[in-house]
Every structure is written in C-alpha cells, then in structure tokens.
Amino acid sequence: MVTAIEPVLRRQLIDRRQKLVTASSVFHRPVELTRLLAEVDSALKRMDDGIYGLCEVCHDPVETERILANPVERFCIDHLSPNEQRALEDDLHLAAQIQSTLLPPPSRVIDGWEVAYHYQPAGAVSGDYCDLINGEDQSLYFVLGDVSGKGVAASMLMAHLHAMFRTLTSINMPLEQMVERASRVFCESTLPTQYATLVCGKACAGGEVEICNAGHLPPLLVQQGKVTSVAATGLPVGMFSSESFSVSKFQMQKGDSILLYTDGCSERSNHDGHEYGVDRLCDMLRAEPDLSPRPLLESGLRQLETFAQGNAPVDDVTLMAIQRTH
Ligand SMILES: [Zn+2]
C-alpha cells in the first residue's frame, strides 16, 4: 500500500522541504527548523533506499493511515516511545468522545414512530454512521451506513457523512436526489478507495416510509408479522460522482417495524468461523414480530452474543429499529 502512495508522499515531502527552506528567512528557531528539515531529508533518503514506510525497529510496514497523516513517521504503533503511545491514546480517546457527540439520542418517540439504536465500535472509534434527523411535516429521516476501512480514517469519513446528511435533510429534497448529492460530494472529497454503503429512509407522520438503499445490506421490514427485505437499488455512495439511486415506498401499519444493521452484526462469527447471517435476524423478527424497538434490539443482541460464544466482534456493530406506533 505504501509503495502505491509513495509518489504522492514524495511530492508532499518535497513540498514540505521547500516550505521549510522558505520559512528559514523569517523563522526565529533555527534549531527547530534544522530538525524538521532533517526529518524530511531522512524520509526522502529512505525512499531512495527502498526502505520507506518500514518500522525502524521491527521492519514491518508502518500503518498506512499513520504514514498518510505523517509522511515522516518512522515507527509502527507497537514501537513508539511510551510518551508517543500515550499521546496517541489521548488523541484516540478525544476522537471517540467527539464521535459520540455526533450520535443522536439513543431512542426517540415522535408522531406515530418509535426508534432505538445500538452503536458499538469494535475499537475506540467506529466507521459506522447512524443518524436520526427531524424533517419537515413531522417526518423523520433515519440513516445507517458503513464506511470502507477501519479506525480513525473511517471515523473521519463517518463524521463527513454526518455533516453532509445534516445539511442535505435541511434542504428538503426528494430522498433519491439527496443520496445522489451525498454520493457526488463524498466521491469528490475522498480517496478513490473510500466509499460507504448506506440506507437512508424517511418515515412520515401518516405511516408512509421511503427507503433508498445504496449498496447496503437489506433493511428488514416486518409488516403484519411477515418479514421482507429491501434490496439495494444503487451502488455504495462515493464510488462514482454521477450515480443515480431509486427509492422504495411502503405503507406501515401500527406495530410494523423496520430493522437496519451493519455487517458487523450479520457477519459476526463464532469460534467455528460461522457467520450469524441475515437469515437468523429474519428468524428473530418472525419469532417476536411485535416487540417495540428497544426490547427488539436487546433480544437481537442477546441472540448475537449467544451465537458468538464469546468470540469478540472484529467489526463495528450497529443496529436500528423503527416501529409504527399508531
Ligand atoms: Zn515496529
């Protein structure tokens, strides 16, 4: 991976070197400047020697997202000094705190609807996006997405999606156009390898529901005890700048529910390597079709834990349940 991005990083390093040299005429701390220049020159020399991006202690590749953030990085996470490790942990802790403030309240009751969600990062931060946004006419937008990649980089993209959907829902445009715009902006402002699968829905006061599924796992609908799924009608957002999307529409009755989830849930595996799977989620909904959102999520999570037999989740787990209450 580092080899693929090395030309880009080399240009960045040369650019940084030029800026440091320019700054030398006005810079009042020549010692600091000399140190920074030496760091850049050393990185450029490592590129020439073919050892760039390798940890100086263990010679394993330095984590790609860390070398992208800091092209002069010389050590993998395991071989940072204790002070550096503590600083990194502090940063992660802060990122996790910021991410938690981007989440909506854990449950919500509005005109005719009740919603609850469960958001569980596999590490300090999550690459899942989960949101509830009030629309006009007492409608409610619900969004659940999964960003490509993991860790801090994925959590930054999650924050990007959050800001975009918060802005787009305030304009009150048709759902498919909203997702199209989100896809274009996401595509134009992220790396080519970055995209997100997501479901964006709108629940209206009269019980109508619209769902746009952009490459995400199918939301499950429970209507009068029968379980159906809403297959994806578009690619993930951010893959191409001119993607088009379509919307599925449903009329929900009292007691009907929708369950959204990320692959951290459906692909949760047990010690034998078997995945939980969408079918088990469907079975759970068939067995308990009338449960209101919070008990439904609790039941789902209990079954997931029982299935996993203590095997810790390796991916972020997010579940959202929405029920029509009258
Ligand atoms: Zn190392």
Side-chain angles (χ1 to χ4, degrees):
M1 176 62 188
V2 171
T3 321
I5 54 176
E6 211 173 285
V8 179
L9 294 175
R10 183 186 285 272
R11 278 197 298 279
Q12 278 182 22
L13 286 166
I14 291 170
D15 185 45
R16 184 182 292 203
R17 190 177 201 291
Q18 186 57 47
K19 282 180 186 158
L20 286 169
V21 170
T22 308
S24 66
S25 55
V26 288
F27 208 61
H28 300 300
R29 294 161 67 191
V31 176
E32 178 71 358
L33 186 74
T34 307
R35 187 185 64 78
L36 292 171
L37 261 177
E39 272 188 348
V40 173
D41 286 341
S42 157
L44 287 167
K45 180 166 188 313
R46 291 197 299 280
M47 280 184 180
D48 294 338
D49 295 345
I51 53 167
Y52 178 75
L54 302 180
C55 171
E56 288 187 10
V57 177
C58 67
H59 309 297
D60 281 345
V62 175
E63 299 76 15
T64 304
E65 63 188 52
R66 292 184 55 245
I67 204 132
L68 277 171
N70 179 20
V72 298
E73 183 59 65
R74 289 154 49 216
F75 301 99
C76 74
I77 283 185
D78 290 341
H79 295 110
L80 292 175
S81 72
N83 275 348
E84 287 170 326
Q85 289 210 358
R86 207 169 308 118
L88 203 64
E89 278 162 22
D90 289 348
D91 280 352
L92 256 183
H93 185 63
L94 191 60
Q97 275 185 318
I98 291 171
Q99 184 166 52
S100 69
T101 64
L102 297 180
L103 294 171
S107 50
R108 183 174 294 183
V109 178
I110 66 157
D111 196 18
W113 298 97
E114 187 178 338
V115 190
Y117 72 88
H118 172 82
Y119 190 83
Q120 182 187 340
V125 288
S126 172
D128 285 354
Y129 169 48
C130 169
D131 213 351
L132 297 167
I133 309 161
N134 288 329
E136 292 192 352
D137 315 324
Q138 291 164 307
S139 66
L140 178 74
Y141 290 98
F142 51 95
V143 197
L144 193 114
D146 185 355
V147 170
S148 60
K150 286 200 193 325
V152 177
S155 77
M156 287 178 72
L157 294 177
M158 172 276 187
H160 186 26
L161 282 177
H162 176 273
M164 255 191 326
F165 276 95
R166 291 267 157 169
T167 307
L168 288 169
T169 48
S170 69
I171 304 172
N172 192 32
M173 60 174 68
L175 208 58
E176 63 271 28
Q177 284 181 27
M178 208 165 85
V179 179
E180 275 162 29
R181 283 210 194 181
S183 183
R184 188 162 65 239
V185 175
F186 202 70
C187 185
E188 287 167 358
S189 54
T190 57
L191 297 171
T193 51
Q194 295 169 328
Y195 58 89
T197 68
L198 65 85
V199 171
C200 179
K202 184 180 182 183
C204 300
E208 311 87 29
V209 169
E210 296 180 5
I211 288 180
C212 180
N213 182 350
H216 196 76
L217 290 158
L220 301 174
L221 254 57
V222 190
Q223 291 174 295
Q224 310 299 297
K226 265 188 67 183
V227 181
T228 54
S229 59
V230 188
T233 52
L235 291 168
V237 299
M239 283 205 144
F240 303 101
S241 60
S242 56
E243 273 180 62
S244 59
F245 297 89
S246 61
V247 163
S248 308
K249 296 183 182 180
F250 311 90
Q251 179 65 46
M252 306 293 274
Q253 309 295 336
K254 183 181 178 185
D256 289 352
S257 294
I258 308 166
L259 183 70
L260 312 179
Y261 52 95
T262 53
D263 58 6
C265 174
S266 56
E267 292 175 11
R268 178 85 186 267
S269 61
N270 62 15
H271 286 300
D272 302 326
H274 295 126
E275 288 183 357
Y276 186 69
V278 179
D279 287 347
R280 285 191 180 84
L281 277 175
C282 291
D283 290 344
M284 177 201 71
L285 292 172
R286 272 186 214 104
E288 301 175 292
D290 303 321
L291 281 183
S292 52
R294 184 55 62 191
L296 178 67
L297 296 184
E298 283 167 1
S299 172
L301 288 165
R302 256 197 317 275
Q303 294 190 25
L304 198 58
E305 287 306 324
T306 307
F307 172 82
Q309 304 159 332
N311 211 18
V314 292
D315 199 358
D316 311 314
V317 174
T318 308
L319 283 159
M320 184 191 284
I322 303 152
Q323 188 177 46
R324 180 77 182 149
T325 51
H326 67 237

